[in-house]
Amino acid sequence: MRLGDLVSILGQFGVDERLVRTSVFRLGKEGWLVAKRQGRRSVYSLTPNGMLQFQRAYKRVYSDQYRQWDGSWTLVCMPPRRHAGPVWAKLEHELQWEGFGKIAPNVFGHPSPGLGALRELLDSLQLSNRVFVLSARSLDVFVTLPLTKLIDESWDLQSLEKGYHEFTRRFAPFGNAHPAPKLTRSESFIVRTLMIHWFRRVTLHDPQIPAEMLRDQWPGHFAYELCHRIYQMIYRDAEDFLSQTVNASGSVLPELSPWFYHRFGGLT
């Protein structure tokens, strides 16, 4: 996307051109954006690493959050005598970002992880042959602590609950209004952007524990359904505004990919 288009779009939120230029420059320095010359102008796009991070976040935000559980756990075990170093610190950080909990020294676990994302993570850090990835199950012949105790001690679900409650508090009046508020196209774009921003801030910290292990009336389910309902109401007008803004400068947005309509389980 051209810088001028970003200036026009972010101007809807009161962000001035100087701040946009500074932010784009910093994102380039941090390896998120790359610029290519298109005539006399620069066009910005995500770097390969930035695209990978975006895709991982995309799945967390727009896909069904809670997988069915088969009763097993996936464990990632680091060698006990490993040397400390940035690559191991990076692995711990990325495992926690993917929802793994630290259940013991050098051991991270998750009851229902995305194995494809785990494989990509280990491959990208070149650690596939330096860790152990195991599958484990509870043994019913033993009377032990309930698994809910392990969940509570390995993940900070209380902070997550507060985040979902705050999201619902902010957006439920809009999503539950009857009749639905009538918005202009630019207002629909603003609401959609702010809503996904707030939802993303919470859900990217959600380890997506299987529903069987969560308490009844888990607020994440309500927040997800609310976000889906509002998104369904406004996404067409929001996309129209985005296209019109970009077209006005002589640029053209690519056609929406089929997977766009799979967000939140399906858009109509």
Side-chain angles (χ1 to χ4, degrees):
M1 183 175 288
R2 294 177 181 177
L3 183 62
D5 296 330
L6 289 172
V7 171
S8 298
I9 292 168
L10 292 175
Q12 299 294 317
F13 303 92
V15 181
D16 62 31
E17 180 175 350
R18 181 179 179 181
L19 183 56
V20 174
R21 291 182 178 275
T22 301
S23 299
V24 168
F25 175 77
R26 288 178 177 173
L27 288 171
K29 294 286 287 185
E30 293 172 3
W32 286 94
L33 294 178
V34 62
K36 295 182 180 179
R37 296 298 298 179
Q38 191 177 80
R40 298 170 60 185
R41 300 180 181 181
S42 295
V43 177
Y44 291 87
S45 60
L46 290 170
T47 62
N49 182 64
M51 178 58 72
L52 178 61
Q53 296 290 337
F54 172 82
Q55 290 172 344
R56 289 167 62 190
Y58 181 94
K59 294 176 182 177
R60 298 279 293 276
V61 172
Y62 293 109
S63 300
D64 186 10
Q65 295 178 312
Y66 304 99
R67 309 176 184 94
Q68 290 186 340
W69 191 42
D70 63 3
S72 68
W73 284 67
T74 296
L75 306 179
V76 179
C77 306
M78 304 176 188
R81 296 182 181 179
R82 64 183 172 86
H83 297 290
V87 67
W88 293 108
K90 176 70 171 176
L91 175 60
E92 292 195 16
H93 173 78
E94 292 295 330
L95 284 173
Q96 290 175 327
W97 196 91
E98 287 294 337
F100 280 78
K102 191 171 186 177
I103 61 179
N106 299 328
V107 180
F108 288 79
H110 196 290
S112 184
L115 295 182
L118 175 59
R119 185 178 294 107
E120 290 177 359
L121 168 60
L122 295 176
D123 288 345
S124 67
L125 295 177
Q126 299 182 346
L127 291 176
S128 297
N129 62 345
R130 299 178 66 186
V131 299
F132 305 99
V133 180
L134 310 173
S135 180
R137 286 180 176 272
S138 297
L139 293 177
D140 295 335
V141 295
F142 292 95
V143 178
T144 63
L145 287 171
L147 286 176
T148 52
K149 181 70 172 177
L150 180 60
I151 297 293
D152 290 339
E153 293 188 355
S154 301
W155 287 274
D156 182 10
L157 296 186
Q158 288 187 344
S159 295
L160 187 62
E161 285 187 274
K162 291 179 181 178
Y164 278 128
H165 282 308
E166 177 63 17
F167 173 84
T168 301
R169 184 190 69 80
R170 286 177 175 271
F171 291 96
F174 180 89
N176 297 331
H178 295 287
K182 294 183 178 180
L183 303 178
T184 64
R185 289 175 175 174
S186 62
E187 290 171 338
S188 293
F189 175 78
I190 291 171
V191 169
R192 184 180 70 167
T193 303
L194 294 177
M195 179 182 69
I196 293 300
H197 169 69
W198 276 97
F199 187 67
R200 176 192 60 82
R201 291 178 64 183
V202 183
T203 198
L204 289 185
H205 292 90
D206 190 338
Q208 299 182 355
I209 302 298
E212 299 95 318
M213 296 180 167
L214 299 172
R215 68 171 180 80
D216 293 337
Q217 308 298 312
W218 173 248
H221 296 302
F222 296 103
Y224 179 85
E225 292 301 324
L226 174 65
C227 194
H228 180 191
R229 185 163 63 252
I230 298 175
Y231 199 96
Q232 181 76 59
M233 292 164 50
I234 63 177
Y235 82 90
R236 291 187 183 278
D237 284 344
E239 284 298 319
D240 286 344
F241 170 79
L242 186 59
S243 295
Q244 291 173 0
T245 302
V246 173
N247 292 344
S249 69
S251 302
V252 178
L253 284 179
E255 291 290 330
L256 292 175
S257 301
W259 48 259
F260 174 90
Y261 297 98
H262 297 160
R263 290 179 176 181
F264 296 108
L267 301 174
T268 59

